[in-house]
């Protein structure tokens, strides 16, 4: 008989509630960083009193120190008893050894020291390793999983994502029909291959819908306020361009086109975003506030706030040229002078 696979967030919630299955060594990882943070915060809230958090929580990040120093400091923290709380929580972020066995990731002596620390970890300590990507075939993940428990917070399925939204709408005393829930999930593009739309973005969209709606979440609000996959693409594209990573921008373009995204809809989204950005930039330069700009443009304030972040990184003259290029792009594709993929690549190269 088919048994539905239970998502890791449900297993974690059950383990946390019972307390018996929750190990004091954990590997918490996955694509949904929102859930990774939620799980760690839930552990802290259960075992560390609010007034002693500063004393009983230690956070280590390998991007800020060497692997050897990190191992030494983690082991020292694990040996320190909690003060006026049930547990001391030690969080280790993004260790290279979670995805590599190379000496550059972790020396053998450091691995042995950390393994001993994990094996002899006191009951009053909770040691959490967190990362976005891991390789469970490597030595360190194997050691952690053998001694404790692993939670892989990958993307939600449709049923769980709907449940996630319904819970938050209910808390805000809002209702949404089944048809509009399906519309909401479809509009986000969350289930598209290689989509960058995640639970953080979904939570932001839910907050916008709650703030802008009365007692009922309706179709009009969903279509106006949800950050669709095409909008997310434009924002991610701008992030890459501002960071000087046009190679990444090209990769993002090929990913979204490979998903079967409607090219004309994508171009329309690009033109729409740059039109709004150009107008927003002009008004920002005139000293107007985001709320007033939103009112003037008859646009949602959340969207203008997001657009303004990017508009400040461009001059009005530059945005005018980019917008002219976007209009030309649309005309070239519509007339058949250029293939859409080539025209979009030329557009990105010219920004």
């Amino acid at each position: 008989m088919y048994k539905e696979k239970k998502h890791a967030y449900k297993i974690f919630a059950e383990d946390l509630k019972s307390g018996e299955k929750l190990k004091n060594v954990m590997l918490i990882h996955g694509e949904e960083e929102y859930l990774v943070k939620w799980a760690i915060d839930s552990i802290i809230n259960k075992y560390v009193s609010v007034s002693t958090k500063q004393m009983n929580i230690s956070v280590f990040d390998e991007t800020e120190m060497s692997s050897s120093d990190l191992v030494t400091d983690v082991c020292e923290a694990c040996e320190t008893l909690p003060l006026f709380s049930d547990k001391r929580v030690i969080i280790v972020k993004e260790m290279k050894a979670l995805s590599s066995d190379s000496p550059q990731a972790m020396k053998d002596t450091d691995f042995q020291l950390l393994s001993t620390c994990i094996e002899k970890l006191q009951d009053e300590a909770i040691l959490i390793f967190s990362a976005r990507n891991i390789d469970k075939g490597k030595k360190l993940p194997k050691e952690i999983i053998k001694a404790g428990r692993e939670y892989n917070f990958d993307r939600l399925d449709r049923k769980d994502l709907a449940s996630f939204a319904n819970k938050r709408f209910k808390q805000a005393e809002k209702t949404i029909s089944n048809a509009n829930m399906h519309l909401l999930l479809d509009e986000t593009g969350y289930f598209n291959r290689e989509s960058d739309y995640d639970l953080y973005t979904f939570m932001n969209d839910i907050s916008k819908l709650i703030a802008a709606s009365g007692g009922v979440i309706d179709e009009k609000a969903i279509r106006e306020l949800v950050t669709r996959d095409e909008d997310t693409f434009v924002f991610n594209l701008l992030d890459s361009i501002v960071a000087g990573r046009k190679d990444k921008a090209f990769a993002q373009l090929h990913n979204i086109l490979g998903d079967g995204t409607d090219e004309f809809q994508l171009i329309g989204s690009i033109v729409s975003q740059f039109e709004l950005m150009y107008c927003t930039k002009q008004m920002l330069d005139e000293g107007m506030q985001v709320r007033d700009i939103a009112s003037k443009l008859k646009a949602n304030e959340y969207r203008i706030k997001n657009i303004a972040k990017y508009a400040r990184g461009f001059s009005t003259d530059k945005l005018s040229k980019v917008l002219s290029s976007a209009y030309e792009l649309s005309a070239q594709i519509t007339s058949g002078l250029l293939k859409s993929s080539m025209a979009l690549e030329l557009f990105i190269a010219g920004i």
Side-chain angles (χ1 to χ4, degrees):
M1 183 177 177
Y2 171 76
K3 186 176 182 181
E4 184 179 4
K5 182 182 177 183
K6 189 181 293 186
H7 194 281
Y9 85 86
K10 294 180 179 178
I11 298 171
F12 172 83
E14 292 169 0
D15 290 351
L16 185 70
K17 185 177 180 180
S18 72
E20 297 175 3
K21 293 183 179 179
L22 198 71
K23 305 292 184 179
N24 65 341
V25 180
M26 281 172 261
L27 177 58
I28 299 178
H29 65 98
E31 188 176 349
E32 280 298 356
E33 295 177 1
Y34 178 95
L35 293 176
V36 171
K37 184 179 184 302
W38 163 77
I40 293 173
D41 288 345
S42 298
I43 292 167
I44 290 171
N45 292 335
K46 178 166 184 173
Y47 292 108
V48 181
S49 66
V50 175
S51 59
T52 66
K53 282 187 176 181
Q54 191 170 356
M55 295 183 289
N56 291 306
I57 301 171
S58 299
V59 181
F60 300 96
D61 191 330
E62 196 173 0
T63 62
E64 300 172 356
M65 60 200 309
S66 70
S67 174
S68 293
D69 288 343
L70 182 144
V71 169
T72 300
D73 290 352
V74 166
C75 291
E76 287 180 0
C78 289
E79 293 171 358
T80 305
L81 290 170
L83 295 171
F84 310 111
S85 276
D86 294 335
K87 305 275 186 180
R88 171 177 291 279
V89 178
I90 303 98
I91 303 158
V92 186
K93 296 182 175 180
E94 299 294 343
M95 283 194 76
K96 296 183 184 71
L98 292 172
S99 58
S100 173
D101 283 337
S102 71
Q104 290 75 27
M106 181 179 283
K107 297 176 183 176
D108 287 340
T109 52
D110 292 331
F111 176 75
Q112 292 302 325
L113 177 61
L114 188 56
S115 296
T116 301
C117 171
I118 291 171
E119 183 183 349
K120 297 182 177 179
L121 188 66
Q122 58 184 343
D123 292 337
E124 293 82 4
I126 295 178
L127 177 57
I128 302 169
F129 294 86
S130 76
R132 182 178 176 86
N133 299 306
I134 69 160
D135 183 342
K136 290 198 283 186
K138 303 305 179 185
K139 291 189 298 183
L140 183 57
K142 283 183 177 179
E143 189 72 17
I144 298 167
I145 295 169
K146 182 179 74 174
R149 195 146 169 81
E150 174 212 5
Y151 299 97
N152 177 12
F153 293 121
D154 54 7
R155 294 173 77 80
L156 301 181
D157 62 19
R158 194 175 185 89
K159 180 180 176 182
D160 285 337
L161 190 63
S163 176
F164 181 92
N166 268 321
K167 180 179 179 181
R168 281 142 190 88
F169 287 139
K170 187 175 181 180
Q171 288 171 343
E173 298 182 344
K174 310 286 182 179
T175 60
I176 182 170
S177 67
N178 287 335
N180 282 334
M181 175 60 75
H182 285 300
L183 173 65
L184 171 61
L185 302 188
D186 290 337
E187 285 288 291
T188 64
Y190 182 86
F191 303 104
N192 293 349
R193 182 176 60 84
E194 302 294 339
S195 174
D196 291 313
Y197 192 99
D198 59 10
L199 284 181
Y200 275 113
T201 312
F202 193 47
M203 270 299 298
N204 184 52
D205 280 341
I206 287 172
S207 298
K208 287 189 290 185
L209 289 168
I210 288 170
S213 302
V216 178
I217 308 296
D218 60 22
E219 178 182 346
K220 183 173 182 291
I222 293 169
R223 293 196 184 279
E224 287 183 352
L225 299 178
V226 170
T227 306
R228 290 176 294 278
D229 218 29
E230 292 82 8
D231 294 335
T232 305
F233 163 75
V234 178
F235 290 135
N236 289 336
L237 184 71
L238 287 167
D239 281 335
S240 300
I241 291 168
V242 170
R245 290 292 309 278
K246 288 194 177 180
D247 58 332
K248 187 176 180 181
F250 288 130
Q252 290 166 337
L253 171 63
H254 294 147
N255 279 339
I256 197 165
L257 290 177
D259 289 338
T261 298
D262 185 282
E263 295 159 351
F264 291 102
Q265 187 177 354
L266 178 59
I267 293 162
S269 180
I270 290 172
V271 171
S272 173
Q273 295 288 16
F274 276 101
E275 283 178 337
L276 197 58
M277 196 184 307
Y278 179 68
C279 294
T280 299
K281 176 62 178 176
Q282 287 181 313
M283 294 180 187
L284 286 171
D285 289 348
E286 292 170 4
M288 290 181 66
Q289 299 299 310
V290 167
R291 181 178 297 175
D292 299 324
I293 294 171
S295 176
K296 184 81 172 177
L297 296 175
K298 294 182 171 56
N300 182 268
E301 186 177 336
Y302 293 95
R303 191 180 184 196
I304 295 299
K305 185 177 181 181
N306 207 4
I307 285 284
K309 178 179 70 174
Y310 297 102
R312 292 186 178 98
F314 292 88
S315 67
T316 306
D317 183 57
K318 177 64 175 177
L319 279 175
S320 176
K321 291 177 181 176
V322 171
L323 189 53
S324 294
S325 178
Y327 289 140
E328 186 178 349
L329 161 78
S330 182
Q332 287 172 333
I333 294 174
T334 303
S335 64
L337 289 174
L338 280 176
K339 288 185 177 180
S340 55
S341 57
M342 182 180 293
L344 285 162
E345 285 178 354
L346 290 172
F347 172 72
I348 291 171
I351 297 179

